[in-house]
Amino acid sequence: MLEGHKEIEVPADVPVWDVDPYDPAVLADPLDYYAELRSKGPFAYIPKYSILTCGRYEETKEVFSDWERFVSSRGVGIQDFNLEEPWRPLSIVLEVDPPEHTRTRAVIERALSPRSVANQKETYSTAADKLIDGLLEKGTFEAMEELAETYPTTVFPEAVGLRETDRQRLVDYGEMVFNALGPNNELRRNAMAKGPEVVPWIMERCQREQLTLDGFGSTIYAASDTGEITEEEAGLLVRSLLSAGVDTTVTALGSAIWCLANNPDQFDLLKAKPDKARWAFEETMRFTSPVHSFYRTANVVTEVSGIKIAEGTKILCVLAAANRDENHWPEPDKFDIDRRPSQHLALGVGVHACVGQNVARAEGYAVLMSIAKKVESIELAGETVWRPNNSIRSLAHLPITFRGK
Ligand code: OVM
């Protein structure tokens, strides 16, 4: 075993690539690694971890969406749950395959439906306007802390229906969940060290009596009254919301500001037509891929693009590399809000595609819309610093100056 999974032979016709995708230097500045990955062919074998990795659009999409051959039930991180215990009770929507997945997914899908999210749009835009007004008054601010973290940790806990919230604990739990998918490196160990402080608090928030009667959480628990799921399962599905709904949107919002600050011509286009906010957010997701990679596990002997893949092979699907594939995207390294990148892989693809995407888009739209209406210029006001994470690409620091209209 290596990092909790079976060591595999190098498949025929697959290049061996002596790289560490989890090297903090690679995680902080990954574009060359993505380009080299795509240049290797459909797959490369990484001996340090005995994994296959893929980053071309076509193969990444194929592996990611074919749940029958490439399962999630053996974990979407480097560990194989057939061989090693996961760090927490399994997610009953992420780390499971159909048919079990279909039942739990339906419940979350209902809770986060377009109609349910539409009911909250006004709340999202009021909160965005208030936040942006406050930041305009400050002028210069730390956009990761004061905008990207503040916004989701204000609107999302309320949308879920948490009676008690704590920005730091929500962010720290997200950091644990996403670092946990990588090897047992320093990033993972440091994140895991926060467990005793964070996990009991999160689990308590998932209990029915801790939730209001009008949030996503209450809709999920309603499904336990009809017997569709058990009450214990409802708690685990609320845990999924708190696992996946914070770090991802924090990252996407921070990266959206970073993209607009670095591309003033694109911000001009957005100001001229604030309705483009939806597409500016979509392009941010393609361009920056908040979740840079997830694994699948080959559950059978199979073949992709003529490459034979052994059962038990862990495949690192680099969504961020696929989103920059020159064979799929014209000028992939250009941030272009007039592109309509609806086929990007930042939210995954197939039966496991992000179930919170309506919420994520509503948050992104509200914030970018408010900025488009109120802000004249967005400028970097100091050094930007990236925060390495085994599965998320996020900024740690983003000093920004807003000037008002
Ligand atoms: C979960 C979950 C879902 C999506 C992403 C995620 C690793 C977690 O169900 O806990 O982050």
Side-chain angles (χ1 to χ4, degrees):
M1 282 234 287
L2 188 59
E3 297 293 349
H5 67 89
K6 192 160 79 181
E7 286 195 49
I8 55 158
E9 312 263 306
V10 188
D13 301 321
V14 169
V16 175
W17 187 19
D18 194 14
V19 70
D20 182 359
Y22 299 102
D23 180 334
V26 172
L27 292 172
D29 186 8
L31 292 183
D32 290 344
Y33 152 74
Y34 297 157
E36 197 171 343
L37 169 59
R38 290 187 305 266
S39 78
K40 297 272 177 197
F43 297 95
Y45 175 86
I46 298 183
K48 182 170 170 104
Y49 301 113
S50 192
I51 56 173
L52 289 189
T53 182
C54 62
R56 290 185 177 183
Y57 185 88
E58 284 309 322
E59 284 84 7
T60 304
K61 186 173 176 176
E62 177 173 344
V63 172
F64 219 63
S65 55
D66 188 339
W67 55 267
E68 294 190 271
R69 292 186 294 156
F70 303 108
V71 298
S72 291
S73 53
R74 294 168 73 165
V76 299
I78 197 167
Q79 277 182 299
D80 183 346
F81 292 169
N82 278 6
L83 303 177
E84 206 178 73
E85 278 288 302
W87 69 280
R88 58 175 194 168
L90 286 185
S91 162
I92 59 170
V93 65
L94 176 75
E95 293 152 338
V96 63
D97 308 316
E100 293 79 11
H101 170 262
T102 315
R103 180 175 61 94
T104 50
R105 168 92 187 192
V107 173
I108 297 210
E109 225 164 74
R110 190 179 315 134
L112 308 183
S113 70
R115 186 163 20 122
S116 156
V117 175
N119 283 334
Q120 302 183 340
K121 283 208 168 130
E122 190 121 343
T123 316
Y124 290 7
S125 67
T126 308
D129 285 345
K130 191 170 154 214
L131 178 64
I132 300 305
D133 284 341
L135 294 173
L136 276 166
E137 232 159 83
K138 283 192 117 169
T140 298
F141 58 94
E142 172 47 57
M144 288 314 295
E145 190 184 328
E146 296 180 76
L147 192 163
E149 284 187 4
T150 298
Y151 186 76
T153 53
T154 306
V155 301
F156 190 63
E158 195 193 325
V160 173
L162 301 198
R163 293 189 200 274
E164 179 193 318
T165 185
D166 180 328
R167 186 182 84 189
Q168 197 56 50
R169 283 194 173 107
L170 287 168
V171 168
D172 285 350
Y173 190 62
E175 199 172 318
M176 288 182 74
V177 164
F178 284 96
N179 272 313
L181 302 177
N184 190 21
N185 56 12
E186 203 180 331
L187 286 169
R188 191 180 194 277
R189 288 190 298 271
N190 287 345
M192 286 301 169
K194 294 175 178 165
E197 176 57 32
V198 167
V199 175
W201 184 85
I202 291 283
M203 294 316 288
E204 182 63 18
R205 302 281 76 68
C206 298
Q207 301 307 305
R208 189 167 206 172
E209 61 279 6
Q210 299 289 331
L211 295 162
T212 64
L213 300 177
D214 60 354
F216 302 142
S218 130
T219 313
I220 289 174
Y221 269 100
S224 73
D225 295 331
T226 61
E228 200 175 353
I229 55 172
T230 66
E231 195 151 312
E232 196 189 337
E233 287 175 326
L236 280 170
L237 291 180
V238 175
R239 190 194 70 174
S240 285
L241 299 188
L242 301 183
S243 301
V246 177
D247 240 26
T248 47
T249 45
V250 166
T251 299
L253 286 172
S255 295
I257 304 304
W258 178 75
C259 287
L260 294 172
N262 284 314
N263 296 277
D265 60 318
Q266 298 298 305
F267 185 43
D268 286 342
L269 295 173
L270 177 61
K271 280 184 297 176
K273 279 203 169 146
D275 260 350
K276 287 184 176 171
R278 177 182 164 4
W279 293 109
F281 191 65
E282 215 60 36
E283 174 68 345
T284 297
M285 287 193 278
R286 181 199 70 84
F287 192 75
T288 65
S289 302
V291 176
H292 56 73
S293 49
F294 267 148
Y295 285 82
R296 292 291 188 255
T297 313
N299 204 35
V300 289
V301 179
T302 185
E303 215 178 279
V304 173
S305 297
I307 306 291
K308 194 160 174 201
I309 296 173
E311 187 276 335
T313 302
K314 276 283 173 183
I315 306 177
L316 179 65
C317 300
V318 186
L319 306 168
N323 281 339
R324 297 288 192 110
D325 186 343
E326 42 288 291
N327 288 320
H328 185 84
W329 309 98
E331 294 192 82
D333 295 327
K334 184 174 186 293
F335 176 74
D336 172 7
I337 70 167
D338 286 324
R339 197 193 289 273
R340 295 287 181 259
S342 47
Q343 304 300 309
H344 71 71
L345 299 184
L347 298 166
V349 57
V351 298
H352 286 284
C354 178
V355 74
Q357 56 185 278
N358 303 314
V359 188
R361 289 201 177 99
E363 289 185 34
Y365 180 81
V367 171
L368 294 186
M369 179 61 120
S370 180
I371 290 174
K373 286 187 188 156
K374 294 171 181 282
V375 178
E376 179 57 33
S377 70
I378 307 176
E379 270 165 45
L380 295 173
E383 206 194 332
T384 57
V385 181
W386 293 89
R387 172 165 56 95
N389 178 295
N390 287 332
S391 341
I392 285 207
R393 185 174 180 227
S394 180
L395 286 154
H397 298 292
L398 178 62
I400 285 288
T401 301
F402 274 177
R403 267 178 258 284
K405 287 195 174 168

